[in-house]
Amino acid sequence: MDFEAYFKSELDAVRDEGRYRIFTEIERHRGAFPHATRYVGDTTQDVTVWCSNDYLGMGQHPVVIDAMHKVLDECGAGAGGTRNISGTNHHHVLLERELADLHHKEAALLFTSGYVSNWAGLGTLANRIPGCVVFSDALNHASMIEGIRHSRAPYKIWEHNSPEGLDRHLSQFGPEVPKLVAFESVYSMDGDIAPIAEILDVCEAHGAMSYIDEVHAVGLYGPRGGGVAEREGLMDRITVIEGTLGKAFGVMGGYIAASEKLCDFVRSFASGFIFTTALPPALAAGAAASIRHLKASNVERDRQKDRVATVRRRLDMLGIPHLPNPSHIIPVMVGDAHKCKRISDWLMDNHGIYVQPINYPTVPRGTERLRLTPSPVHSDGDIDRLIDALSDIWSQCELARRAIAA
Ligand code: PMP
């Protein structure tokens, strides 16, 4: 086989569909977020980032940076090993305690990323519980889907956010079958939120374990940033809460929080936990500082809510279509991969506004979009510039559409 020719033809096909991914190279600067420097060859451009998952700006927060500096100086760069072979640092243990407390669980277990925590956590439970059947929401994240597939356990996909659909699927199995129900709280591309209480009612009626991915919710929802389940007083009813340290907490890493026994089980059998180097201690300390800060402070969450509401209101005034949802994610709908990319390029080139186009397979074809994530550090001026630019490009698109129609 001519491997190089094969690689090229596959890449060309993606390019023809307008969904070839090109990195946007930026440098974030301490204290300057959402402003950053973009590198294009030998030149640079000042940009405002509108598509970051550093939802609360904690990646630039002094509390986090200072904690990381301190532990970097005290402990050095790397963990020095896997968790079982010399790599368990005191700061990992402190962070796991912080996470268990955040979710009102007996224990928590750290992973390299949110992706790995889903892949390894869900995969290990599904694989190691004899006869386990997994019930997965139709819009679950790739990391959960890969974990379920990798487990080789049988699985059923239930209709997105439908407790009735879940109930129908669960009803097909007798009480003797171990069942694991996997879903998210905030879905990252549409920004919709699961009816968690109703889903838990169904899980409990069928004796199923519940596994919730709160990656796009931890830090952001609930009085202490414990996620949507905390906000709704449901954490105690959920078997496993999974989250990331890489989005609202501003650092990197993932985790599950659950009973002591369940965490010990995953710790003892998950290859994605056992056979990989532990997170750098400084990173663990930064994440713990971020969690502690957001447990005590609503300042960032309140300000973010205000920024999100302001951007939504201004889009509505201009008639720019965006998916209505009860979360902090604003999907501005474009509906065509090429057009989405052209708008994104135009915003960047003419206004230094950075919004990555979201294409298939992340979202279904025909629903391509610009996903805006307003944060507490976006100023009124930033919002004015975004809205003016969007208004400009939208009227150009409207004019073009009318010209074609005529
Ligand atoms: N779950 C969901 C729902 C996600 O959207 C993502 C990442 N976008 C992950 C898990 C993975 O988290 P991480 O980025 O920490 O690997």
Side-chain angles (χ1 to χ4, degrees):
M1 184 181 194
D2 182 345
F3 293 112
E4 290 295 313
Y6 173 71
F7 298 150
K8 182 174 178 314
S9 72
E10 287 294 290
L11 291 169
D12 285 348
V14 175
R15 209 174 269 120
D16 288 346
E17 280 188 52
R19 56 186 187 89
Y20 176 71
R21 293 185 167 107
I22 299 168
F23 288 142
T24 301
E25 184 182 338
I26 61 168
E27 191 170 67
R28 293 174 14 125
H29 306 289
R30 181 168 184 171
F33 186 66
H35 303 279
T37 304
R38 176 188 176 214
Y39 287 79
V40 194
D42 293 335
T43 62
T44 61
Q45 179 192 11
D46 291 338
V47 299
T48 307
V49 184
W50 276 100
C51 55
S52 175
N53 281 344
D54 187 358
Y55 290 131
L56 297 177
M58 293 306 288
Q60 301 290 337
H61 198 289
V63 160
V64 177
I65 296 173
D66 291 349
M68 291 184 75
H69 270 303
K70 182 168 178 288
V71 174
L72 186 63
D73 288 341
E74 286 170 6
C75 300
T82 65
R83 286 293 298 273
N84 288 310
I85 308 180
S86 90
T88 294
N89 190 282
H90 182 51
H91 291 282
H92 297 129
V93 178
L94 293 180
L95 174 56
E96 285 173 341
R97 271 187 214 147
E98 202 66 70
L99 288 164
D101 171 75
L102 177 66
H103 294 295
H104 290 183
K105 295 290 176 197
E106 289 171 4
L109 192 65
L110 283 172
F111 295 87
T112 315
S113 68
Y115 189 103
V116 178
S117 47
N118 275 335
W119 183 81
L122 204 46
T124 302
L125 291 170
N127 173 260
R128 286 274 171 173
I129 299 173
C132 184
V133 179
V134 186
F135 299 82
S136 178
D137 182 285
L139 291 191
N140 272 345
H141 188 254
S143 53
M144 287 204 261
I145 296 169
E146 291 299 329
I148 295 165
R149 283 197 187 134
H150 178 76
S151 77
R152 287 189 243 115
Y155 63 90
K156 299 280 168 192
I157 295 170
W158 45 288
E159 298 78 353
H160 175 56
N161 274 352
S162 166
E164 299 77 22
L166 172 63
D167 188 49
R168 262 196 312 278
H169 283 288
L170 285 166
S171 300
Q172 289 165 7
F173 296 84
E176 73 291 351
V177 176
K179 304 175 190 77
L180 175 55
V181 172
F183 61 110
E184 300 180 25
S185 58
V186 177
Y187 285 83
S188 67
M189 291 302 143
D190 289 350
D192 53 337
I193 296 183
I196 304 176
E198 288 81 354
I199 291 171
L200 294 177
D201 289 343
V202 175
C203 291
E204 287 162 6
H206 292 273
M209 292 169 63
S210 49
Y211 181 109
I212 192 170
D213 171 319
E214 289 245 45
V215 158
H216 294 278
V218 288
L220 299 164
Y221 298 88
R224 299 199 311 157
V228 181
E230 186 200 20
R231 184 183 72 184
E232 297 178 3
L234 298 169
M235 292 195 296
D236 297 342
R237 291 176 61 192
I238 300 172
T239 318
V240 182
I241 299 175
E242 183 270 347
T244 185
L245 305 170
K247 300 191 195 289
F249 293 129
V251 195
M252 187 189 172
Y255 63 89
I256 58 168
S259 71
E260 190 85 53
K261 286 267 182 324
L262 189 147
C263 288
D264 198 15
F265 183 80
V266 174
R267 187 185 75 87
S268 303
F269 294 115
S271 70
F273 177 85
I274 299 168
F275 299 107
T276 188
T277 302
L279 290 170
L283 219 143
S290 185
I291 294 164
R292 266 197 304 277
H293 179 84
L294 290 174
K295 275 178 182 171
S297 164
N298 278 313
V299 173
E300 294 77 11
R301 284 188 282 272
D302 288 346
R303 169 102 176 142
Q304 187 207 33
K305 278 194 200 104
D306 170 75
R307 305 286 80 187
V308 171
T310 304
V311 172
R312 279 217 173 96
R313 200 175 53 245
R314 304 274 303 268
L315 290 173
D316 284 340
M317 283 162 66
L318 292 170
I320 293 181
H322 58 100
L323 272 188
N325 67 48
S327 75
H328 59 286
I329 294 162
I330 306 181
V332 173
M333 305 308 281
V334 179
D336 174 88
H338 293 282
K339 196 165 158 192
C340 205
K341 177 160 179 3
R342 274 204 307 278
I343 294 177
S344 164
D345 288 348
W346 186 89
L347 289 170
M348 181 72 105
D349 296 341
N350 293 282
H351 294 275
I353 287 172
Y354 175 23
V355 201
Q356 194 71 30
I358 308 284
N359 295 331
Y360 176 84
T362 311
V363 294
R365 284 194 175 90
T367 72
E368 288 80 3
R369 63 197 68 182
L370 301 170
R371 177 180 178 271
L372 300 175
T373 51
S375 80
V377 289
H378 284 103
S379 67
D380 288 340
D382 293 327
I383 294 179
D384 287 345
R385 281 186 289 278
L386 170 76
I387 294 296
D388 288 350
L390 281 172
S391 163
D392 192 359
I393 186 70
W394 233 260
S395 51
Q396 287 182 41
C397 290
E398 276 295 302
L399 286 176
R401 220 180 44 202
R402 272 192 234 129
I404 291 164

